[in-house]
Amino acid sequence: MDKFNRRDFLRKASVAAAAGGASLLWACGGAEEESGGAPAVQTRKKYEWKMVTTWPPGFPVLGEGAELFAKWVDEMSAGRLKIRVYGGGELVPALEAFDAVRQGVVQMGHAASYYWAGKTPASQFFASVPFGMNAQQMNAWILCAGGLELWRELYADFNLVPFPCGNTGVQMGGWFKRRIDAISDLQGLKMRIPGLGGKVIEKAGGSAVLSAGGEIFTNLERGVIDATEWIGPYHDYLMGFPKVADYYYYPGWHEPGTILELFVNKSAYEQLPADLQAIIFAASQRSNVWMLSEFEAKNAVYLQKIKAEYKTEILEFPAGVLRAFREYSAEVIEEVTAGDAMSKKVYKSFAKFQKEIGEWADITERAYYSRLSV
Amino acid sequence: MDKFNRRDFLRKASVAAAAGGASLLWACGGAEEESGGAPAVQTRKKYEWKMVTTWPPGFPVLGEGAELFAKWVDEMSAGRLKIRVYGGGELVPALEAFDAVRQGVVQMGHAASYYWAGKTPASQFFASVPFGMNAQQMNAWILCAGGLELWRELYADFNLVPFPCGNTGVQMGGWFKRRIDAISDLQGLKMRIPGLGGKVIEKAGGSAVLSAGGEIFTNLERGVIDATEWIGPYHDYLMGFPKVADYYYYPGWHEPGTILELFVNKSAYEQLPADLQAIIFAASQRSNVWMLSEFEAKNAVYLQKIKAEYKTEILEFPAGVLRAFREYSAEVIEEVTAGDAMSKKVYKSFAKFQKEIGEWADITERAYYSRLSV
C-alpha cells in the first residue's frame, strides 16, 4: 500500500475541483476513462476490477482503508480478484463515482452515501444524520436490525450492492474564528458545512458554504468563511486548520458516526462466484473495523499534537446551542422524509432502532463514559 | 447454522461441570477425542479442521458467532477449509480448549482470553480489565496501537496465534437480592463473579464464589449466593435471573468490553497457504463486528422485555461504591503486574493507550452519549 505523503497533502488538495455533497468530500477533477464491464463467469477465472473513490490517492485512513481492502481481497482470492484503487479524479471525478459504478464503467466505489442525496435522499441515513447514531449503533442497526436490507433495497434500483466499509467515529464540531456562546452567534456566520448539517446552520441564521477540500484553508485564512467542519484532529491537523482558527468545538452533532460505504456494480457482483462474493463481504468488515480503529488511535495522538503545538481553545458547544441544533435537525429530517417515501421508510427503521438502543446505551456505554473510563 | 433452542438453555446449562476462570465461562464435562494435527501443505489441498469453544453448542451470539465464522470461512475458501465447531464438553472440557489447541488435538478455539489467567496472567488484558477499555477502544488498541503484536508475542510461547473475534460490549453489573447503597453493603456478600472482578469483591469484604453456568440460577434462588454477574439482558433473561433477584445493577465496571478470541494452533496455521490465512483473519473481523452488533441489538430488545415482564429495579451503582471498586481494581492490577513481567509489559501498553484515547473519547464518545444521543 502506498503511504500517503503528508507533504503532498495540501498540494493534492489544492487541485481539487468544486465540491458538493457532504462533509468528507474531496471532489477532484480528472479525465474519464471508459472500460469494460464485469467479466463473464468461469471457474477459477481471474478478475481485474477497478475501484473509484471520493478521496485523494492514499488519503489517510479512508484512502488507505480502500487500498487495504483491495490488498486483503487479493490475498484471500490468491490473486483471482485484483482491484486497482483510484483516487477521486484519477479516473472519474469524485462526485461521479456512483454513476461510474452503476453504469459498469468500473466495478466498485468507496465513498460515503450522503454524497448521493441529490440522486436519492434516503441514502443519507446510511452515512450519518445530525443527532443520529454513533459507529457502534450504526453497525448494530445495519448488520443486525434490518438496516442493510433497506440499504440493499434502495441501491438495487441503481444496480448497486452496498456494504458498510469504515466509520469515522464521532467527529468534531468544527473550527471557528470566533466564540459561539449562544445560538444568536450563528447569525450571519459563514460556515463550510455540507448536507443536512448545512441546512441546520441555515435555519440558525448562518450560511452553509460549500468549498472543495483544497480551498477550505485559504477561505478560512482570508475570512471568506468564518468556520468549517471537517473530520477530527488527525485530518484537521494535516489540513492546517489550527493555524488559522482558534476555537475547536465539540461534539460533532452533525456527524456522530459516519459510515464509509463500499458499493459494487450489481451485475458484476452477481456474476462473481460465491467465494469471491463472500470474500468481498468479509474484507469490507475487516476494513470496517480497521478504519474506525485507525481513526480512534490517530485522533487521540493528533489531539495531543494540536494541544502541544497551537493555542487552540477546545470548547464544548453550549447546551442551548446544541438544543437549538437538535430542534432544527428534527425539522430538516421531517422535511426530507415528508418529500420522499423511501426516506420515510428508512428513517422509520432508523429512528425506532435509535430509540431502543438509546435506552440500552444509557445504562451501559453512557455510564461507561461518564463513570468508568479514565 | 444451528439455532440455539431457548427451551434447552437451562437444561444444557444444568449438565455443565465445575467452572473456573472467568465471567462468561460455561465449563462443560465431556469426552476427549484424539485427532490428527495440521495437514501438510499442498496446493488446492482441502483441510478439515475442528474448533472447540467454551460455550454450549449453539449458545446465543457467542456460539452462533463461532458457527458463522466457520460458515464464512467455508464460503470464502469454496470448501477448502471446513471447520467443525464443538461446544464446550462435546470434544474436550471447555477449560481444556487452550491446551487442546496448543497441543494440536484440534486446530482452533473460541473463548475469552481471561480464562487462561492461570496459565499466563497477561492473557487477562486481552479480554477485559475492571475499569479498562470498552469495545471500540479495545479494537483500536489491538488493531492499530500495538495490542495484537503483544498478544501474538504472548501466545507464541504456547504455539498459538490469537485474533480478536467478537466483543460483548459494556456488560451489566449483575443481579443482587438486596440493594447496594454503600460499599459496606458488600461485607459478607456472596457473589458469583470470577477473575479480577472477583478479587475486587473480596477486597470489599465479600466472597467471590465460582459456580458453573447451570448452577447459578438455583444457587441464587436458594440463597447459596446473594448476587451474580453474567453478561447483559439477552443472556440474563434466558438464564431466568429476573425471576429470583430484584435488583439489576449497572454499569459492568468489571467487564466494560470483553473481547472474544479466536486462537489457532501456530504450527497448523503456518502450514496453511497464504490465502487461507488471510481468510481466517477477515472472517475473524466479520465475526468481531457481528457479535458486538448482535449483542447490542438483542440486549436493547431484552432490556425492554425484562422491564415489561418483571418488577426488576434497574439501578446504577452509587458513586461511592464505584469509587471503592476503582481503588480496589487498581490494587488488583498492581498485584498481577508486580508478579509477572509479561503482564507488566502488556499493561504498560494498555494503560498508555487507555489514557490517550480517554482524553479523545472525553470530547467525542462521552459527549455523544451525554449530549447528543436520545
Side-chain angles (χ1 to χ4, degrees), chain A residues 44 132 316 359 368 371, chain B residues 44 132 134 304 316 368 371:
Chain A
R44 319 303 308 159
E316 187 164 13
E359 289 187 39
Y368 171 79
R371 307 295 292 277
Chain B
R44 318 306 306 160
N134 70 351
Q304 297 308 320
E316 186 165 13
Y368 171 79
R371 307 294 292 277

Side-chain angles (χ1 to χ4, degrees), chain B residues 303-315:
Chain B
L303 175 64
Q304 297 308 320
K305 280 175 76 77
I306 289 171
K307 283 182 178 178
E309 297 173 24
Y310 295 98
K311 60 186 171 65
T312 304
E313 284 194 50
I314 297 170
L315 300 168

Side-chain angles (χ1 to χ4, degrees), chain A residues 44 72 75-78 80 131-137 139-141 143-145 168-172 231-233 248 250-254 256 274-276 278-283 285-286 288-290 292-301 303-304 307 314 316-320 322 326 353-374, chain B residues 44 72 75-78 80 131-137 139-141 143-145 168-172 231-233 248 250-254 256 274-276 278-283 285-286 288-290 292-301 303-304 307 314 316-320 322 326 353-374:
Chain A
R44 319 303 308 159
W72 292 329
E75 288 172 359
M76 286 194 277
S77 69
R80 284 193 298 132
F131 295 89
M133 295 189 275
N134 70 351
Q136 185 160 313
Q137 297 175 350
N139 274 332
W141 176 57
L143 297 173
C144 298
T168 64
V170 178
Q171 297 193 14
M172 289 293 286
I231 306 180
Y248 196 19
Y250 69 88
W253 55 273
H254 62 308
D275 59 340
L276 295 182
I279 281 171
I280 287 172
F281 201 142
Q285 294 317 291
R286 187 171 172 187
N288 197 11
V289 190
W290 181 83
L292 176 60
S293 297
E294 180 73 357
F295 264 119
E296 287 287 284
K298 284 291 202 302
N299 278 330
V301 170
L303 174 64
Q304 297 307 320
K307 283 183 177 178
I314 298 170
E316 187 164 13
F317 282 118
L322 285 178
R326 188 189 285 268
F353 189 74
Q354 186 179 13
K355 183 171 185 301
E356 268 174 20
I357 204 162
E359 289 187 39
W360 165 237
D362 195 49
I363 63 172
T364 47
E365 292 288 346
R366 183 203 59 75
Y368 171 79
Y369 284 108
S370 61
R371 307 295 292 277
L372 301 183
S373 70
V374 290
Chain B
R44 318 306 306 160
W72 292 329
E75 288 172 358
M76 287 193 276
S77 68
R80 284 193 299 130
F131 294 89
M133 295 190 275
N134 70 351
Q136 186 160 313
Q137 297 176 350
N139 274 332
W141 175 55
L143 296 173
C144 298
T168 64
V170 179
Q171 299 193 12
M172 289 292 286
I231 305 179
Y248 196 18
Y250 68 89
W253 54 273
H254 62 308
D275 58 341
L276 295 182
I279 281 172
I280 287 171
F281 201 143
Q285 295 316 291
R286 187 171 172 188
N288 198 11
V289 190
W290 181 83
L292 177 60
S293 297
E294 180 73 356
F295 265 120
E296 287 288 282
K298 285 289 202 305
N299 278 329
V301 170
L303 175 64
Q304 297 308 320
K307 283 182 178 178
I314 297 170
E316 186 165 13
F317 281 119
L322 284 178
R326 187 189 285 267
F353 188 75
Q354 185 178 13
K355 183 172 184 301
E356 268 174 18
I357 203 161
E359 288 187 41
W360 166 237
D362 196 48
I363 63 172
T364 46
E365 292 287 348
R366 183 203 59 74
Y368 171 79
Y369 285 108
S370 61
R371 307 294 292 277
L372 301 183
S373 70
V374 291

Side-chain angles (χ1 to χ4, degrees), chain A residues 59-76:
Chain A
F59 198 56
V61 192
L62 305 165
E64 288 171 349
E67 300 264 11
L68 280 172
F69 169 87
K71 174 175 173 281
W72 292 329
V73 169
D74 185 24
E75 288 172 359
M76 286 194 277

Side-chain angles (χ1 to χ4, degrees), chain A residues 60 87 94 97 99 126 139 193 200-201 243 249 313 342 346:
Chain A
D99 286 334
F126 302 109
N139 274 332
I193 175 171
V200 171
I201 294 298
K243 291 180 183 152
Y249 275 90
E313 284 194 50
M342 192 62 190
V346 171

Side-chain angles (χ1 to χ4, degrees), chain A residues 214-230:
Chain A
E215 297 166 5
I216 304 174
F217 178 87
T218 307
N219 286 349
L220 194 59
E221 185 179 33
R222 296 186 186 165
V224 176
I225 53 176
D226 310 304
T228 186
E229 62 77 56
W230 191 241

Side-chain angles (χ1 to χ4, degrees), chain B residues 5 205 211 245:
Chain B
N5 183 331
S211 312

